[in-house]
Amino acid sequence: MTYHVLHSITRELRILTPAEVLDMDTDAAGRIVVHAADGEFYYLLADESLIA
């Protein structure tokens, strides 16, 4: 599985693997926030099940 995410500050698009994802949660706006192994936070755009 891969996760297409958008960096929470720079808006850079990245693709993360499950090994790079430490945790997922939702914020007050209902967005899924991904805490990655690189210490950064991202917003989930789609996972592999949506784009395959």
Side-chain angles (χ1 to χ4, degrees):
M1 169 147 324
T2 58
Y3 302 97
H4 290 224
V5 296
L6 199 60
H7 191 276
S8 62
I9 297 172
T10 67
R11 302 299 192 237
E12 174 188 358
L13 179 64
R14 292 225 18 227
I15 297 173
L16 301 176
T17 64
E20 296 173 293
V21 175
L22 298 178
D23 193 24
M24 289 190 199
D25 203 354
T26 56
D27 66 5
R31 298 174 290 200
I32 299 174
V33 179
V34 178
H35 182 206
D38 63 4
E40 299 292 332
F41 291 91
Y42 300 90
Y43 296 120
L44 181 67
L45 296 176
D47 65 26
E48 190 174 73
S49 67
L50 296 174
I51 58 173

